[in-house]
Amino acid sequence: MWNTGIILKKNQKKGSLTSEMKKENIALIGFMGAGKSAVSQYIQDRFGYEKAEIDQLIMQKEGMPITEIFAKHGEGYFRDCESREILRLGSRKKTVISCGGGAVIRKENVENLKKTSRIILLTASPETILKRVKHSTDRPILNGNMNVEYIGELMEKRQALYQAAADFEVITDGKTIAAVSREIMERISKME
Ligand code: S3P
């Protein structure tokens, strides 16, 4: 887990940045371990957004962990579940949506996210990603592939999709969750 840090300024109220913003969704995309879940949690806690974690929604509906969905039904089935959840989230307001790292693979997902959300790409180097995910066993794509070379290659393959989908990118290496979250909220407020 990376350090959350506390960087709200002395007189700043929780969520004060959001009052100037349009009530719109924020979709966080990026590679596994880029910080989407941690940052979406922070945005929910500090900026008054609802939170939707696509992987969590899928696990709840399917009644089993992601690794089991992959093992029992295959990746294609998981991707169908992912697309269905993204479509459903179109009715949400002021929600921060944490997408799985592969959500950008399907064009329709990006198109559906774009309808209601600013899409923010979180990035980190393969080395940073490995540090963050190496003890986890709940990512079927990385099980048996837990090394910088594999992570770097898959990231490279997906890079163009991530870049094309995103409104902007936030580099997370060496930053706290709080700093990344504030950077996102400040940049979004300037886009309004
Ligand atoms: C995946 C990323 C995972 C999860 C699934 C597939 C991917 O989500 O959706 O294991 O293809 O990159 P996180 O990015 O939240 O780990």
Side-chain angles (χ1 to χ4, degrees):
M1 244 314 143
W2 37 312
N3 184 4
T4 55
I6 295 293
I7 54 167
L8 281 181
K9 287 192 198 118
K10 240 186 180 175
N11 297 319
Q12 188 189 342
K13 289 189 196 116
K14 272 186 185 183
S16 59
L17 283 174
T18 57
S19 57
E20 294 111 49
M21 293 175 191
K22 267 204 290 181
K23 287 188 182 168
E24 220 181 83
N25 299 335
I26 298 169
L28 301 180
I29 62 166
F31 204 80
M32 294 166 271
K36 297 162 297 197
S37 298
V39 169
S40 62
Q41 184 63 56
Y42 193 92
I43 291 175
Q44 177 185 39
D45 293 344
R46 302 297 180 104
F47 294 96
Y49 277 64
E50 298 287 319
K51 185 185 69 158
E53 287 242 18
I54 292 172
D55 280 356
Q56 295 290 342
L57 294 170
I58 296 170
M59 285 193 277
Q60 275 163 22
K61 291 234 168 68
E62 297 298 310
M64 63 181 101
I66 304 291
T67 39
E68 237 176 281
I69 301 174
F70 269 66
K72 271 198 174 151
H73 304 295
E75 182 173 348
Y77 179 89
F78 171 79
R79 298 294 172 205
D80 289 343
C81 296
E82 191 172 49
S83 297
R84 208 174 304 127
E85 289 309 325
I86 289 173
L87 190 61
R88 285 208 183 109
L89 288 171
S91 60
R92 297 281 199 106
K93 297 269 181 288
K94 209 185 174 190
T95 298
V96 56
I97 302 168
S98 178
C99 299
V104 295
I105 294 170
R106 289 192 181 172
K107 210 172 150 200
E108 65 182 88
N109 294 344
V110 175
E111 283 165 3
N112 286 328
L113 286 169
K114 265 194 202 299
K115 286 178 193 160
T116 58
S117 314
R118 303 279 190 206
I119 302 183
I120 319 307
L121 170 61
L122 301 186
T123 58
S125 70
E127 290 77 10
T128 300
I129 296 288
L130 181 62
K131 266 190 217 151
R132 292 180 188 160
V133 303
K134 67 181 172 196
H135 298 301
S136 138
T137 53
D138 55 13
R139 293 181 173 95
I141 305 272
L142 292 182
N143 289 343
N145 297 312
M146 207 52 98
N147 57 74
V148 168
E149 293 70 33
Y150 183 84
I151 290 171
E153 273 169 32
L154 184 56
M155 200 184 273
E156 185 67 35
K157 276 189 203 152
R158 290 181 175 177
Q159 200 54 28
L161 295 172
Y162 287 136
Q163 299 284 353
D167 287 299
F168 63 84
E169 172 185 344
V170 176
I171 297 167
T172 68
D173 298 270
K175 293 180 187 164
T176 63
I177 293 164
V180 170
S181 305
R182 281 180 57 85
E183 193 175 329
I184 292 169
M185 301 313 283
E186 282 169 5
R187 287 181 70 175
I188 287 179
S189 71
K190 286 184 189 137
M191 291 167 81
E192 305 287 305

